Amino acid sequence: AIGAACKNNLLADDEKIEAVEQIVALTILGFLPLDALAREIDEGLNLNNPRLTTAIANEVKAKVFAPIKTDVEANYHPPEDED
């Protein structure tokens, strides 16, 4: 579903798709906030194309996160600063 979301939005580079999959995995595991998915994809891939990354994030949210959104949001815990 993630690769299809990327390809549907004309992001076909396999390495970039793999990077998007890793960002989605980190979001599922609670390391990244769901509401920042588009920004994380844009910054993580250095695309500087918010329209593209928002389209990809919206499709991923609809296909992957819709059934588990409540759990993902409950699991998100920002990293604590280590002093």
Side-chain angles (χ1 to χ4, degrees), residues 1-2 6-7 16 18 20-23 25 33 42 44 51 55-56 60 69 72 75:
I2 299 165
C6 292
K7 290 177 182 175
K16 289 185 179 183
E18 186 175 330
V20 172
E21 291 170 341
Q22 291 172 355
I23 291 167
D42 196 47
R51 183 179 292 167
I56 292 169
V60 169
K69 181 180 180 189
V72 169
N75 287 332

Side-chain angles (χ1 to χ4, degrees), residues 46-68:
N46 294 314
L47 293 174
N48 196 26
N49 189 339
R51 183 179 292 167
L52 170 66
T53 55
T54 298
I56 292 169
N58 287 342
E59 191 167 340
V60 169
K61 286 178 184 178
K63 292 180 177 179
V64 176
F65 287 103
I68 60 171

Side-chain angles (χ1 to χ4, degrees), residues 6-61:
C6 292
K7 290 177 182 175
N8 289 345
N9 290 285
L10 306 178
L11 182 68
D13 180 272
D14 288 337
E15 288 182 20
K16 289 185 179 183
I17 292 172
E18 186 175 330
V20 172
E21 291 170 341
Q22 291 172 355
I23 291 167
V24 170
L26 290 171
T27 304
I28 290 171
L29 294 172
F31 293 108
L32 298 172
L34 180 57
D35 61 353
L37 184 60
R39 187 187 75 234
E40 293 291 342
I41 294 169
D42 196 47
E43 292 175 2
L45 277 64
N46 294 314
L47 293 174
N48 196 26
N49 189 339
R51 183 179 292 167
L52 170 66
T53 55
T54 298
I56 292 169
N58 287 342
E59 191 167 340
V60 169
K61 286 178 184 178

